[in-house]
Amino acid sequence: LATRTYLLGSIFCILKEQRKIAASHQSTQNLLADLQIRLETTFALSPEQRTNIRIVAGDLMFDPSKITFTTLHFDVADRLRQEREAFNLTNIYGNPARERFLTICIKRQCSSIRNSFRELLRDSVIGDDTSTLSDFTYDSSTRFRRAGGNSDLGPATRARLAILVESFSVL
């Protein structure tokens, strides 16, 4: 009888401790859920992710088949979505708030790339530092292409840049 009483007391102590652990586990889960919500409101892109966005935007800006620049952010967003693993953006897609933040960042980066390209184009034809078409091609490919600088990029790229330079010099 004493052994059974001791065993029953031990079982009740174990059950009591198990309930305390379950309550503590529940409060830990609530704390983690609260931290996750707070992290969602303070989300920021890493410097590597921002650099990847800028690289893709510059590369697409320099694409010889690109004739409109105002919709560059759509093309960049599509490319990033297709290659999200390669550009370390897997933590963004699937979360609407983060995707919205990424869209805003893409728009800002594309605007900056467009302005830089416009200024480089302007400076190549106006002012004291004008340059030849081959120099402009090399300078712009160095700044915007992922592969780096090259002055011999093929006739399509040279023709596109020549048209842009000519149209800008008329203004």
Side-chain angles (χ1 to χ4, degrees):
L1 183 65
T3 307
R4 285 187 176 179
T5 306
Y6 178 76
L7 184 62
L8 189 61
S10 297
I11 290 173
F12 284 141
C13 283
I14 291 171
L15 286 174
K16 182 179 176 186
E17 289 297 319
Q18 193 176 25
R19 286 183 183 152
K20 283 183 183 178
I21 290 172
S24 173
H25 180 69
Q26 183 64 34
S27 73
T28 304
Q29 283 181 332
N30 291 342
L31 178 65
L32 287 175
D34 186 42
L35 285 174
Q36 184 176 5
I37 290 169
R38 288 178 188 249
L39 285 175
E40 291 296 326
T41 60
T42 60
F43 174 75
L45 293 172
S46 70
E48 179 186 6
Q49 289 171 327
R50 287 183 182 273
T51 302
N52 285 337
I53 292 168
R54 189 161 186 85
I55 289 170
V56 170
D59 209 32
L60 288 175
M61 181 75 167
F62 207 78
D63 182 20
S65 63
K66 187 87 174 142
I67 57 172
T68 59
F69 301 115
T70 57
T71 60
L72 179 66
H73 62 280
F74 292 126
D75 298 332
V76 171
D78 289 342
R79 173 76 60 89
L80 292 174
R81 185 175 292 111
Q82 291 169 358
E83 301 177 29
R84 68 184 94 178
E85 289 86 15
F87 295 119
N88 294 328
L89 297 171
T90 54
N91 65 327
I92 294 172
Y93 290 103
N95 185 327
R98 289 182 179 183
E99 287 180 18
R100 174 90 170 119
F101 188 80
L102 177 66
T103 302
I104 291 168
C105 183
I106 289 172
K107 286 181 180 180
R108 286 184 185 148
Q109 291 287 344
C110 289
S111 175
S112 174
I113 290 285
R114 279 193 308 268
N115 285 335
S116 296
F117 189 70
R118 179 186 52 79
E119 288 172 359
L120 186 65
L121 187 62
R122 179 199 64 206
D123 293 343
S124 73
V125 295
I126 298 172
D128 296 333
D129 295 333
T130 59
S131 60
T132 64
L133 181 61
S134 61
D135 289 342
F136 174 70
T137 303
Y138 181 79
D139 291 343
S140 58
S141 67
T142 301
R143 273 181 84 175
F144 298 108
R145 285 189 67 229
R146 189 185 321 187
N150 191 352
S151 60
D152 187 29
L153 299 171
T157 303
R158 279 196 312 268
R160 176 179 168 263
L161 291 175
I163 290 169
L164 288 172
V165 166
E166 183 61 31
S167 65
F168 204 92
S169 64
V170 172
L171 298 176

